[in-house]
Amino acid sequence: MKPLNPSFIFLLSLTVVSSSLGFYLPGLAPVSFCEQNSKGDAEECQTEIQLFVNRLDSVESVLPYEYDAFDFCKDTDENRPSENLGQVLFGERIETSPYKFSFKADKACVKVCTKSYDTGSREDKLKLDFLKKGMELNYQHHWIVDNMPVTWCYIVEDNQKVCNPGFPIGCLVNQEGKPKDACVINADFNKKNTYYVFNHVDITIHYHSGDETNGMHARLVAATLEPRSIKHSNDENPTCEETPMDIPADFKSNLKVTYTYSVTFKQNDDIRWASRWDYILVSMPHTNIQWFSIMNSLVIVLFLSGMVAMIMLRTLHKDIARYNQMDQEEAQEESGWKQVHGDVFRPPRMGMLLSIFLGQGTQVFIMTFITLFLACLGFLSPANRGALMTCAVVLWVLLGTSAGYVSARLYKTFGGENWKTNVLLTAFLCPGIVFVDFFLMNLILWVEGSSAAVPFGTLVAILALWFGISVPLTFVGAYFGFKKPGIEPPVQTNQIPRQIPQQSFFTKPVPGIIMGGILPFGCIFIQLFFILNSIWSHQMYYMFGFLFLVFIILVITCSEATVLLCYFHLCAEDYHWWWRSFLTSGFTAVYLFVYAVHYFFSKLQIIGAASTILYFGYTLIMVLIFFIFTGTMGFFSCFWFVNKIYSVLKVD
């Protein structure tokens, strides 16, 4: 294996990373807006702006809830836009809201609705308790205008501006008088054991004026808001200038909460529509850390490439040349990897299970590569909601042929004859484990009433895709795999297995497997932090260029680390390399799980048994998929390496 050319790495970095710095959204058409008295054609521009609401989530709970669960103001003509498969699986629940605006029509302190809570009503008490629980756990609104998140921008340390695509429903001052979460923004939030609900929002919508002389109308380029808590003294004619809306922890008197809003339109011709997400993405200071991660990973790759090149070009070349110049008697006195040529291709134990893992790993690799490549091109951007998950699921279903073919071909190479069992397990074993885990997690979400619970109809649709498309395609791939002959080894296998000499500590299976996963994990652990943040801390992930580059580096690192350890083990005359090559790089998944446990206890504030079970349940799915993927990369690299070095030996 030749080391990577530095110029190739540089060009690949520029190409891939540029896609994470530029944010173009192919396939998403802009919407034009105009005033009601404008002469523009109604088909060319819109005058009404509809604000959509999404599910509410929290960093202290894995359970998201629908907007209606917290007894907020509802739209009289409530309807839901069509959702794709990815949105349903991610638990997004987008619906219309009573917040409706006319373009360029500023409004101040507009009443939306009033919610009343009677102490004599058990239903009202449950609604208020659930609202207070949401404020205690810091649940966040997620509003959408023109397919763009309505953000809450504020200043943090070092005078840095952060724009968060969500804002809290309220906050809590505990019994000691210590404000939690958003209560620190206002000194008037000072009553002990009191909740403050953000029942008023000041919305600012920025628009690009366009060029009406060329028939180009205005387009929305940003939407921000500032949440406020106001106790309205007059529910019918609010002024939005009163004291904060406090809700005592003890529900002893009737309560009314009036929700209001103000909206202001501002012209901003400095922001183009194609880059209107940039003000959100720039506020996430991760780029420098990402570059550090990439450079760290490249150093590891270059080191491993140099080691592999040294082995291939120097050690192996000299060994093979010297070995081929000897006669047979002298060759038999040699030790090391050359002496196990008669046993190195002996079929492994549990060859069927290994072939099944390799078939599934090939399917996952191709799916991941295509998905990340499309994400780099911008087709699976955050603005195209649910597209990433939808693409991954559809690709996995359609790639059943590759899993069946690889599994059948390798199983035949191992000398297996139970082809029916092999095909069935390839189609059902790993997907079945994932589905059972997913279904159990979904049961917990159903019991908790979370919006993330996948509806029964969607589960049926997933099963239909699995049984109706993926399984038949797996059978088709297996049919072509079994029709072809198995892969012929370059050397013959002895009838009697050779005795393996006593191994040192570092060449024993377990220490070698444990060491093999360290370097691949070292290439990804920084990127893994941002991925876990996007999943569990609800941060927006958009740097797919970095992710794609790290994916390529991970594949190379798994391959080279496995080849190095495989060579050392063969030199120690241990020819059991089949499973070891798979487990060496596959052990990276164990480090992934350990890091996920560390992340749970050190970074997250999740409380509750249900949230904890959900976290580790979904983490196990990630670990299993990652184990199969990395193990497959290591196995095929080692398979190529062993075939390469033994094919040049002149062995009778």
Side-chain angles (χ1 to χ4, degrees):
M1 182 180 293
K2 296 182 179 180
L4 289 176
N5 191 330
S7 60
F8 170 76
I9 297 175
F10 178 73
L11 291 175
L12 180 63
S13 302
L14 288 181
T15 304
V16 173
V17 175
S18 63
S19 62
S20 58
L21 300 179
F23 195 75
Y24 177 66
L25 310 175
L28 297 177
V31 178
S32 298
F33 293 88
C34 56
E35 299 179 74
Q36 289 184 348
N37 56 359
S38 174
K39 297 181 181 180
D41 189 353
E43 296 182 357
E44 297 179 359
C45 63
Q46 298 182 12
T47 57
E48 297 296 326
I49 301 176
Q50 172 67 67
L51 188 147
F52 292 89
V53 292
N54 202 346
R55 66 175 187 176
L56 288 86
D57 51 39
S58 168
V59 295
E60 299 182 25
S61 175
V62 177
L63 302 169
Y65 290 99
E66 292 193 39
Y67 178 81
D68 295 340
F70 290 94
D71 194 36
F72 295 128
C73 300
K74 296 183 180 180
D75 188 12
T76 54
D77 300 323
E78 184 178 5
N79 63 80
R80 297 179 182 271
S82 58
E83 296 176 339
N84 57 42
L85 180 61
Q87 288 177 291
V88 176
L89 293 177
F90 271 129
E92 293 197 11
R93 298 294 184 267
I94 300 175
E95 59 187 74
T96 57
S97 74
Y99 298 87
K100 298 180 175 66
F101 323 119
S102 295
F103 181 66
K104 295 180 70 173
D106 295 351
K107 292 184 179 180
C109 201
V110 179
K111 175 185 175 181
V112 183
C113 75
T114 299
K115 293 291 183 177
S116 301
Y117 301 94
D118 189 351
T119 54
S121 173
R122 183 175 180 273
E123 183 180 356
D124 288 351
K125 184 179 184 303
L126 292 175
K127 289 180 180 179
L128 188 59
D129 287 343
F130 195 72
L131 179 63
K132 289 190 289 188
K133 178 184 176 184
M135 289 186 281
E136 184 178 352
L137 295 177
N138 194 28
Y139 269 83
Q140 305 273 318
H141 283 285
H142 292 282
W143 290 2
I144 303 169
V145 168
D146 190 30
N147 198 38
M148 181 174 52
V150 182
T151 58
W152 177 33
C153 297
Y154 49 89
I155 305 298
V156 294
E157 297 178 358
D158 301 329
N159 202 28
Q160 184 179 2
K161 183 179 180 182
V162 175
C163 291
N164 186 10
F167 66 96
I169 64 176
C171 58
L172 167 67
V173 178
N174 60 21
Q175 295 180 352
E176 291 78 21
K178 183 179 179 181
K180 284 187 60 181
D181 303 318
C183 277
V184 300
I185 66 176
N186 193 336
D188 294 333
F189 299 161
N190 50 23
K191 292 183 180 180
K192 295 182 179 179
N193 201 22
T194 302
Y195 297 88
Y196 292 91
V197 60
F198 292 133
N199 58 331
H200 175 85
V201 287
D202 293 317
I203 303 173
T204 303
I205 298 179
H206 302 263
Y207 64 92
H208 191 287
S209 61
D211 187 0
E212 294 188 1
T213 59
N214 295 329
M216 180 179 174
H217 299 283
R219 294 173 180 173
L220 306 187
V221 293
T224 60
L225 60 74
E226 182 178 351
R228 293 164 56 193
S229 179
I230 301 175
K231 190 173 185 178
H232 300 288
S233 58
N234 188 341
D235 296 333
E236 298 303 325
N237 296 298
T239 61
C240 298
E241 298 295 336
E242 287 87 355
T243 57
M245 180 68 211
D246 56 320
I247 302 178
D250 298 327
F251 183 35
K252 296 181 179 180
S253 60
N254 295 341
L255 180 69
K256 285 186 177 182
V257 180
T258 300
Y259 292 90
T260 56
Y261 74 90
S262 300
V263 60
T264 305
F265 289 84
K266 290 186 178 180
Q267 181 176 331
N268 189 338
D269 293 339
D270 296 331
I271 303 177
R272 297 174 59 87
W273 182 87
S275 58
R276 62 179 185 164
W277 285 64
D278 287 359
Y279 82 99
I280 306 174
L281 307 181
V282 169
S283 68
M284 300 178 183
H286 302 332
T287 305
N288 292 335
I289 302 177
Q290 295 279 8
W291 276 116
F292 171 77
S293 171
I294 295 296
M295 296 308 298
N296 173 63
S297 301
L298 286 177
V299 168
I300 295 176
V301 167
L302 291 176
F303 168 76
L304 288 175
S305 299
M307 291 284 290
V308 173
M310 182 179 66
I311 291 175
M312 294 293 290
L313 299 179
R314 296 184 59 184
T315 308
L316 283 177
H317 180 74
K318 291 181 179 179
D319 283 356
I320 292 172
R322 185 173 65 254
Y323 184 89
N324 289 333
Q325 290 175 0
M326 298 178 183
D327 56 31
Q328 196 67 18
E329 294 181 358
E330 292 177 332
Q332 289 178 356
E333 297 177 0
E334 285 288 320
S335 62
W337 63 271
K338 299 173 289 297
Q339 288 300 96
V340 295
H341 63 81
D343 298 275
V344 72
F345 290 101
R346 190 177 301 280
R349 298 176 180 176
M350 296 187 294
M352 179 182 291
L353 181 61
L354 180 59
S355 64
I356 291 168
F357 283 162
L358 294 172
Q360 289 291 336
T362 304
Q363 186 178 9
V364 171
F365 168 74
I366 301 174
M367 176 201 72
T368 307
F369 180 85
I370 298 176
T371 301
L372 291 180
F373 183 74
L374 292 176
C376 287
L377 299 180
F379 290 102
L380 308 179
S381 67
N384 200 353
R385 304 176 190 278
L388 185 71
M389 178 61 75
T390 303
C391 178
V393 172
V394 171
L395 283 174
W396 181 86
V397 169
L398 297 178
L399 289 170
T401 306
S402 60
Y405 179 83
V406 172
S407 177
R409 189 84 189 276
L410 288 174
Y411 182 62
K412 194 171 184 179
T413 301
F414 297 155
E417 297 179 354
N418 298 325
W419 62 271
K420 294 181 181 179
T421 305
N422 174 260
V423 177
L424 289 173
L425 290 178
T426 303
F428 292 107
L429 180 60
C430 295
I433 295 174
V434 172
F435 183 81
V436 169
D437 191 331
F438 177 77
F439 182 75
L440 292 177
M441 298 304 103
N442 204 56
L443 283 179
I444 297 176
L445 294 172
W446 274 340
V447 172
E448 296 292 334
S450 173
S451 64
V454 177
F456 179 76
T458 304
L459 286 177
V460 174
I462 294 174
L463 288 174
L465 290 174
W466 180 16
F467 287 95
I469 300 178
S470 179
V471 172
L473 289 178
T474 304
F475 276 80
V476 171
Y479 170 77
F480 288 104
F482 278 113
K483 278 191 66 177
K484 289 196 172 184
I487 303 173
E488 291 294 332
V491 292
Q492 294 182 355
T493 302
N494 296 333
Q495 293 184 353
I496 302 176
R498 181 185 178 88
Q499 185 176 1
I500 299 176
Q502 183 70 27
Q503 299 292 304
S504 66
F505 175 78
F506 294 102
T507 57
K508 289 182 178 180
V510 175
I513 291 172
I514 294 176
M515 291 187 296
I518 295 178
L519 290 178
F521 179 77
C523 294
I524 65 167
F525 80 97
I526 295 179
Q527 192 70 228
L528 183 62
F529 171 77
F530 296 114
I531 295 175
L532 292 178
N533 271 350
S534 67
I535 297 175
W536 303 114
S537 297
H538 313 293
Q539 296 184 9
M540 190 176 298
Y541 191 90
Y542 69 97
M543 291 174 284
F544 293 106
F546 285 113
L547 184 59
F548 184 74
L549 190 56
V550 170
F551 169 77
I552 299 298
I553 292 174
L554 173 64
V555 172
I556 298 173
T557 308
C558 286
S559 303
E560 294 182 338
T562 307
V563 166
L564 278 175
L565 291 174
C566 180
Y567 174 73
F568 294 149
H569 294 143
L570 291 177
C571 287
E573 299 184 22
D574 186 351
Y575 51 83
H576 294 307
W577 63 273
W578 299 95
W579 271 106
R580 186 178 294 181
S581 63
F582 184 87
L583 296 175
T584 297
S585 54
F587 201 80
T588 310
V590 177
Y591 293 106
L592 169 63
F593 180 76
V594 173
Y595 184 83
V597 174
H598 165 74
Y599 180 85
F600 177 82
F601 288 104
S602 63
K603 302 296 182 182
L604 295 182
Q605 306 168 3
I606 291 177
I607 57 177
S611 295
T612 303
I613 295 173
L614 287 169
Y615 176 85
F616 286 103
Y618 287 124
T619 298
L620 288 176
I621 294 178
M622 295 172 52
V623 169
L624 174 62
I625 295 175
F626 195 74
F627 168 73
I628 295 173
F629 162 70
T630 52
T632 301
M633 295 302 98
F635 174 87
F636 281 117
S637 302
C638 200
F639 185 78
W640 169 86
F641 173 76
V642 173
N643 273 272
K644 190 71 174 177
I645 62 174
Y646 284 98
S647 62
V648 295
L649 289 178
K650 297 177 182 178
V651 179
D652 295 333

